[in-house]
Amino acid sequence: RVYTACLAHGFSFPKQRQLVDRYLYHMRLSDDVLLDLMARFQAEMVKGLARDTNPTATLKMLPTFVRSIPDGTEKGEFLALDLGGSRFRVLKVKVSENGKQNVQMESQIYPTPKEIIHGSGTDLFQYVADCLADFMETKNIKHKKFPLGFTLSFPYIQRKLEEGILISWTKHFKARGVQQTDVVKSLQKALRKHQASSELIFVFNNLIALKKKLTFPSSSGTGTNACYMEEMSNIDLVEGDEGRMCINTEWGAFGDDASLDDIRTEFDKEIDLGSFNPGKQLFEKMISGLYLGELVRIILLKMTREGLLFNGKLSTALCTKGKIETKHIAAMEKYKEGLSNTKEILMELGLAPSEDDCIAVQHVCTVVSFRSANLCAAALAAILTRLRENKKVARLRTTVGVDGTLYKIHPQYAKRLHKVVRRLVPNCDVRFLLSESGSGKGAAMVTAVACRLLSQRKQINEVLSLFKITKENLIGVKNRMRAELEYGLKKETHPVATVKMLPTFVYGTPDGTENGKFLALDLGGTNFRVLLVKIRSGRSKSVRMYNKIFAIPLEIMQGTGEELFDHIVQCIADFLEYMGIKGARLPLGFTFSFPCRQHLSFIDWFKATDCEGEDVVDMLREAIKRRNEFDLDIVAVVNDTVGTMMTCGYEDSNCEIGLIAGTGSNVCYMEDMRNIEIVEGDEGKMCINTEWGGFGDNGCIDNLRTKYDKEVDEGSLNPGEQRYEKMTSGMYLGEIVRQILIDLTKQGLLFRGQISERLRTRGIFETKFLSQIESDRLVLLQVRRILQQLGLDSTCDDSIIVKEVCGSVSKRAAQLCGAGLAAIVEKIRDNRKLEHLKTTVGVDGTLYKLHPHFSRILQETVKELAPQCDVTFMLSEDGSGKGAALITAVAKRVHNVAEN
């Protein structure tokens, strides 16, 4: 009555507690020790994630192949098995989606007899199958097939979700012949004897089952473990860098390499020696409920033998292993009735405790359970720190889902754990959430998520398969492109050819003798450039450029032809005055990025009226006359593709092809005059501007066009035209991606099925975003930020899908472009009747230059489809400006030679 009254009034018993504290001094861990333990744990995590060091790591960091958590759309009926403790459970779970996800469960508990868990593996799995068959018979569902989730609370290796290679048994399990075998195959074999099967069997740890409801789980019960979501880029053990995967740390083995020997006590060593797996799971033996009761018993036994308790008198029960359990510790540490519980428990052990004995024993329990909470908190804090560093945030907010009898039934454990975690990681806001039927319900939810992901993956693959082009398809594109090239060159078929093969009247590439000052005009977008280019010949040949950029207002672009050319001449006048050369009559080259026939009229240009079908040179000369301030010698009108070829040809005499892979797509090349029927003469060569963007306008590549290509085409300014360009150029790739994203969202596969107004907006998905999203250096968090900038609130899974979509669209574009280019180089080789051609392609365009994979895929495609051609790719430096001047210089050189 006295000690109960003292406790009720808040009095303490310092003498007995000091005695215990001195005796168990090494079990009381300071914050400095815990912080050091955190650092060791983090180092071991890194070691476990790395392929080279994983074999020697005590934290095995096992990939689970669980990449997603429930999103609320899961539905269906599932079976779940939960094996790993003193009981075995079979569950049937129905998940329905009635506006709000609803989960209904039916379950049956079966014992796990010692002869089963200590017998053969065959008998164990046959017992599991028998229990499942009994459950299905009882529920009258024996003839139905269900997806099955198998929760296994032991360390195992996975290469996929439907596989589990058992590493070792823990706790009291030691069935023979199971280690290093696939438990899924063993279960399937046992089920076949009942003529029962499941549609799919997925295996996962009890923590992973808990993970399906919470953010990152820990377990403090019979065993102890934790799992968390790790960035794929950090997991060497699994292929792929995208997204995240749940990692099962198997932290019970932490310290098995003797790294915790400095904090292990003589009592821990005695516990280990008496276990069925000495030297293993050392961290677990200091934390988990399976061992805490025995740890207290060993301490009390030693203290009694030393005369510190019970007047040195032992009992048979105190000397018997397993007589003190974790439930006894929980009872002894209860706030009000703890001391009375302690006396009762000690008396049941055949002891005659005094009041001081009860106080001392209660404090032993406190020290042991507090150390357990401290060690668990340090490991959790290490994981939380890694999560925060992975996310690159100053402050982490997360939820820890917890299950386990120690956490649930011990009156002080949870509070102690929470307090220490928050003290060790003050920059993490942690919410602890207790799981209810975590491994049972969670098992079914993992299975539901896995089934949902498989179904979604099938739907996504169906969409992306539309953009996969076989080698046979690419050869077909090459052959059809080659046929269209021939049609465009022949006088009879030229009018109906989709590839216009426009003569440029450029008869050669630079030979290094070009010299002088030249003016260049560059028009093709919303800006207009005027350049002064100084070319020096000889051994120290060089090109120096001076330029100024002028804007072209929208009203000018969409006004009359006269207004447009008057504006151009005004810009030229401003530049000449700026450079102080207004009186000089310089040769001029005019670059623009629109198709024209020479000599010399527009096919299409901006939306300016009076331009189509008109001679560009005449319109420019008339505008200069109206200005009446200066005169220029207009030598050449140049396409930007030709300018690119000429720029690279100045550096490499083998360059005879120009490729633009940017906002638009086009190719030019040097063709033998004898093949160009639409121009007089058979001698020499002429550069042909293919204007290949119109390839396919006759339907010859409709087998490769998807419904998304058709939607983009129908919404463009020129429906039915430039079909090849709309599948290969930067102007359209982003819009194709947007159409796919809309379709996937309608199917409920993206953005939670919600199509935002932003996603409905044409042009939102610029091609530069494809380049950014597909960057190998970009982690998913950065992809999500890009999508958020576009007003698209995405999950991690959404970001992975968006990246896949971008990759499929850009890869097809590069392959199609490569197939077209292969037709060009093969034609040049055939023209020259060569067995092997060596040539250079000059390339310009943001898609080729900035996209992380486009150039590589294009080059690989050309190499595969034109194996007898050795093709070098050279990036152009300012093809539209420098190229225009070089063409002008070449034209002047050829003209001077002809005159002489």
Side-chain angles (χ1 to χ4, degrees):
R1 285 197 302 270
V2 172
Y3 60 71
T4 304
C6 288
L7 183 63
H9 285 88
F11 295 118
S12 60
F13 304 90
K15 180 183 171 185
Q16 289 75 21
R17 290 184 178 177
Q18 286 173 7
L19 168 70
V20 171
D21 284 342
R22 283 196 299 271
Y23 197 80
L24 300 179
Y25 173 77
H26 292 294
M27 281 192 163
R28 300 181 69 83
L29 306 176
S30 68
D31 279 2
D32 286 343
V33 171
L34 295 178
L35 288 168
D36 178 61
L37 191 65
M38 277 176 62
R40 293 188 227 176
F41 193 93
Q42 284 180 289
E44 202 64 20
M45 289 174 77
V46 172
K47 196 174 171 184
L49 288 168
R51 190 186 303 275
D52 294 341
T53 52
N54 176 270
T56 59
T58 58
L59 294 179
K60 287 305 175 188
M61 307 298 282
L62 303 173
T64 66
F65 295 84
V66 172
R67 299 170 185 251
S68 183
I69 58 177
D71 67 0
T73 64
E74 292 78 15
K75 56 185 176 180
E77 293 183 291
F78 310 92
L79 290 175
L81 307 178
D82 182 9
L83 179 68
S86 56
R87 299 178 301 173
F88 166 58
R89 272 200 308 171
V90 182
L91 303 94
K92 175 178 172 288
V93 181
K94 183 177 181 180
V95 183
S96 55
E97 186 192 8
N98 302 320
K100 185 178 180 182
Q101 196 173 66
N102 183 38
V103 180
Q104 298 173 305
M105 289 193 301
E106 299 176 77
S107 68
Q108 176 68 45
I109 294 174
Y110 295 88
T112 49
K114 188 173 181 179
E115 62 270 19
I116 293 294
I117 63 175
H118 288 185
S120 71
T122 302
D123 290 344
L124 173 63
F125 285 104
Q126 194 56 58
Y127 177 75
V128 170
D130 291 344
C131 293
L132 178 59
D134 176 74
F135 178 82
M136 295 180 76
E137 182 80 46
T138 303
K139 301 298 179 183
N140 197 28
I141 54 174
K142 195 170 183 179
H143 302 293
K144 292 184 180 180
K145 283 190 175 182
F146 299 91
L148 174 66
F150 186 15
T151 302
L152 195 67
S153 306
F154 306 99
Y156 55 84
I157 296 170
Q158 286 183 287
R159 289 185 290 267
K160 52 189 176 180
L161 199 54
E162 55 269 33
E163 174 190 81
I165 310 296
L166 184 72
I167 298 173
S168 62
W169 291 117
T170 58
K171 306 170 196 174
H172 295 307
F173 278 71
K174 43 184 173 181
R176 300 182 303 277
V178 183
Q179 291 181 198
Q180 307 306 316
T181 66
D182 184 356
V183 295
V184 173
K185 286 183 179 177
S186 298
L187 179 58
Q188 286 172 331
K189 184 178 179 181
L191 286 172
R192 279 197 290 271
K193 291 187 178 179
H194 282 279
Q195 296 184 332
S197 63
S198 286
E199 291 177 346
L200 298 158
I201 298 180
F202 303 106
V203 63
F204 30 82
N205 187 277
N206 61 330
L207 282 173
I208 314 306
L210 175 60
K211 172 87 186 119
K212 290 298 98 183
K213 295 172 63 186
L214 308 172
T215 302
F216 110 69
S218 166
S219 178
S220 295
T222 309
T224 182
N225 198 7
C227 71
Y228 73 103
M229 295 301 283
E230 178 62 81
E231 300 296 326
M232 282 289 291
S233 56
N234 296 331
I235 309 172
D236 283 357
L237 307 172
V238 177
E239 293 295 322
D241 290 330
E242 302 305 328
R244 298 182 300 164
M245 181 181 287
C246 187
I247 290 292
N248 170 21
T249 65
E250 287 297 336
W251 77 8
F254 179 49
D256 285 4
D257 58 353
S259 62
L260 296 182
D261 281 4
D262 57 327
I263 63 170
R264 290 178 71 225
T265 66
E266 58 181 301
F267 311 113
D268 297 308
K269 292 170 184 175
E270 189 171 338
I271 281 274
D272 179 46
L273 287 172
S275 68
F276 78 93
N277 57 349
K280 295 181 180 179
Q281 300 295 107
L282 298 183
F283 193 59
E284 182 172 73
K285 288 169 184 172
M286 299 165 76
I287 293 178
S288 77
L290 184 62
Y291 300 98
L292 293 192
E294 182 63 10
L295 194 56
V296 167
R297 187 192 70 82
I298 290 171
I299 294 168
L300 298 185
L301 182 63
K302 185 172 172 53
M303 289 181 75
T304 304
R305 282 174 173 161
E306 293 178 14
L308 299 175
L309 289 174
F310 315 125
N311 292 321
K313 294 179 181 177
L314 298 170
S315 69
T316 302
L318 187 62
C319 295
T320 304
K321 183 178 178 180
K323 283 295 182 180
I324 298 180
E325 300 176 22
T326 300
K327 66 180 181 181
H328 297 135
I329 295 177
M332 287 190 275
E333 286 197 69
K334 281 190 176 178
Y335 176 58
K336 290 186 177 178
E337 59 265 38
L339 282 175
S340 59
N341 289 343
T342 303
K343 183 173 184 179
E344 184 179 335
I345 290 165
L346 292 174
M347 290 177 69
E348 288 174 356
L349 292 172
L351 297 164
S354 66
E355 294 173 6
D356 285 353
D357 288 337
C358 292
I359 294 165
V361 169
Q362 187 188 49
H363 198 51
V364 168
C365 293
T366 298
V367 171
V368 169
S369 63
F370 214 130
R371 185 188 69 158
S372 167
N374 278 338
L375 291 171
C376 190
L380 271 176
I383 294 176
L384 287 163
T385 300
R386 182 167 182 86
L387 281 173
R388 186 181 61 79
E389 290 172 353
N390 281 350
K391 294 185 177 184
K392 297 180 173 61
V393 293
R395 192 165 197 85
L396 175 73
R397 296 186 66 184
T398 193
T399 300
V400 178
V402 193
D403 199 2
T405 51
L406 180 58
Y407 185 90
K408 285 179 176 179
I409 69 169
H410 193 288
Q412 308 295 330
Y413 197 91
K415 186 165 49 174
R416 291 169 183 165
L417 176 68
H418 301 171
K419 187 175 180 179
V420 178
V421 167
R422 288 168 180 146
R423 196 166 71 238
L424 293 177
V425 280
N427 50 3
C428 297
D429 296 324
V430 187
R431 175 173 172 248
F432 290 86
L433 193 57
L434 184 63
S435 168
E436 297 174 10
S437 62
S439 55
K441 183 178 178 181
M445 290 309 299
V446 175
T447 308
V449 169
C451 291
R452 169 177 62 81
L453 292 178
L454 283 174
S455 174
Q456 289 179 348
R457 174 45 53 188
K458 184 179 178 183
Q459 290 173 273
I460 291 165
N461 286 347
E462 284 175 1
V463 171
L464 298 185
S465 68
L466 300 174
F467 291 85
K468 288 183 178 175
I469 307 181
T470 64
K471 185 176 180 180
E472 184 182 355
N473 291 146
L474 290 171
I475 291 171
V477 171
K478 182 186 80 167
N479 293 339
R480 288 193 286 272
M481 176 68 81
R482 177 67 183 271
E484 287 295 315
L485 296 176
E486 302 292 354
Y487 292 153
L489 289 171
K490 295 186 183 303
K491 186 177 291 186
E492 187 179 338
T493 52
H494 176 82
V496 295
T498 60
V499 180
K500 288 302 176 186
M501 305 298 282
L502 304 174
T504 65
F505 297 88
V506 172
Y507 292 98
T509 54
D511 64 2
T513 63
E514 293 76 20
N515 199 46
K517 294 180 182 179
F518 305 89
L519 207 59
L521 311 181
D522 177 15
L523 177 66
T526 55
N527 293 327
F528 171 58
R529 270 195 318 162
V530 186
L531 304 93
L532 176 64
V533 183
K534 296 180 180 179
I535 302 174
R536 176 186 288 181
S537 60
R539 283 194 298 180
S540 57
K541 70 176 185 179
S542 64
V543 178
R544 295 176 64 188
M545 295 187 293
Y546 310 87
N547 72 86
K548 194 170 183 182
I549 298 172
F550 300 89
I552 301 180
L554 184 62
E555 62 270 18
I556 295 290
M557 274 196 268
Q558 298 182 351
T560 66
E562 188 173 296
E563 290 170 338
L564 178 61
F565 278 90
D566 283 346
H567 179 76
I568 289 170
V569 171
Q570 172 68 55
C571 295
I572 296 170
D574 291 347
F575 179 77
L576 294 174
E577 189 167 339
Y578 171 74
M579 294 299 297
I581 53 173
K582 202 164 188 178
R585 191 174 189 272
L586 297 175
L588 180 142
F590 191 1
T591 303
F592 61 96
S593 308
F594 307 94
C596 74
R597 294 187 180 88
Q598 293 180 281
H599 303 279
L600 250 171
S601 63
F602 276 101
I603 296 172
D604 181 29
W605 193 10
F606 289 104
K607 285 295 175 182
T609 58
D610 308 328
C611 284
E612 293 184 26
E614 295 297 321
D615 189 317
V616 181
V617 175
D618 285 346
M619 295 179 80
L620 181 57
R621 281 181 178 145
E622 289 298 319
I624 291 171
K625 283 181 184 177
R626 285 194 297 274
R627 182 86 182 180
N628 198 27
E629 288 184 12
F630 57 84
D631 194 16
L632 296 170
D633 180 13
I634 304 173
V635 175
V637 178
V638 184
N639 179 275
D640 60 339
T641 315
V642 182
T644 295
M645 182 189 75
M646 297 298 277
T647 302
C648 294
Y650 186 72
E651 304 294 335
D652 181 350
S653 59
N654 279 330
C655 183
E656 51 192 343
I657 303 170
L659 168 66
I660 297 291
T663 306
S665 179
N666 195 18
V667 158
C668 70
Y669 73 102
M670 297 302 291
E671 178 61 85
D672 291 354
M673 282 290 293
R674 59 187 165 79
N675 295 329
I676 311 172
E677 294 184 5
I678 50 180
V679 174
E680 295 295 324
D682 291 334
E683 298 300 321
K685 296 183 178 68
M686 181 187 287
C687 180
I688 292 292
N689 170 24
T690 66
E691 288 298 336
W692 75 359
F695 174 54
D697 288 359
N698 58 0
C700 68
I701 55 172
D702 279 2
N703 63 311
L704 300 178
R705 293 177 74 225
T706 67
K707 64 177 182 177
Y708 310 108
D709 296 305
K710 292 170 185 174
E711 285 167 356
V712 169
D713 180 41
E714 288 165 8
S716 68
L717 294 172
N718 54 349
E721 298 177 8
Q722 300 294 105
R723 292 183 181 180
Y724 184 65
E725 182 171 70
K726 287 169 184 172
M727 298 168 77
T728 57
S729 78
M731 179 176 280
Y732 300 99
L733 298 190
E735 188 60 15
I736 295 171
V737 167
R738 188 182 72 88
Q739 292 293 342
I740 298 170
L741 299 187
I742 288 174
D743 188 36
L744 292 178
T745 306
K746 284 178 180 176
Q747 295 181 50
L749 303 173
L750 271 181
F751 310 131
R752 302 173 185 85
Q754 302 296 314
I755 302 177
S756 65
E757 282 305 313
R758 197 93 167 105
L759 190 56
R760 296 180 197 275
T761 306
R762 187 180 300 281
I764 175 189
F765 217 96
E766 297 175 38
T767 299
K768 69 176 181 180
F769 295 127
L770 269 74
S771 299
Q772 292 171 5
I773 287 170
E774 289 188 66
S775 171
D776 294 328
R777 297 188 301 273
L778 214 60
V779 298
L780 280 183
L781 194 62
Q782 292 168 297
V783 175
R784 288 181 71 182
R785 284 178 187 149
I786 292 171
L787 295 174
Q788 284 167 359
Q789 288 170 15
L790 295 170
L792 304 173
D793 185 19
S794 70
T795 64
C796 204
D797 291 337
D798 290 337
S799 300
I800 293 171
I801 295 169
V802 170
K803 193 164 186 175
E804 283 186 79
V805 170
C806 292
S808 296
V809 171
S810 62
K811 181 179 180 180
R812 184 191 67 164
Q815 288 177 317
L816 287 173
C817 199
L821 193 56
I824 299 282
V825 296
E826 284 285 1
K827 177 162 179 33
I828 294 174
R829 187 179 69 84
D830 288 347
N831 283 349
R832 297 178 191 173
K833 298 179 173 57
L834 296 173
E835 188 174 326
H836 190 86
L837 172 72
K838 186 172 183 179
T839 190
T840 298
V841 178
V843 195
D844 202 353
T846 52
L847 189 58
Y848 186 93
K849 287 181 174 179
L850 302 181
H851 191 281
H853 308 299
F854 189 93
S855 59
R856 173 183 56 79
I857 296 169
L858 185 150
Q859 291 174 27
E860 288 172 354
T861 305
V862 172
K863 188 173 183 178
E864 183 178 30
L865 299 184
Q868 292 171 280
C869 300
D870 181 7
V871 183
T872 301
F873 289 81
M874 175 183 281
L875 282 177
S876 167
E877 295 178 15
D878 195 8
S880 54
K882 183 177 175 181
L886 284 166
I887 291 171
T888 305
V890 169
K892 289 294 285 184
R893 170 173 59 79
V894 171
H895 178 71
N896 291 338
V897 169
E899 281 190 342
N900 295 330

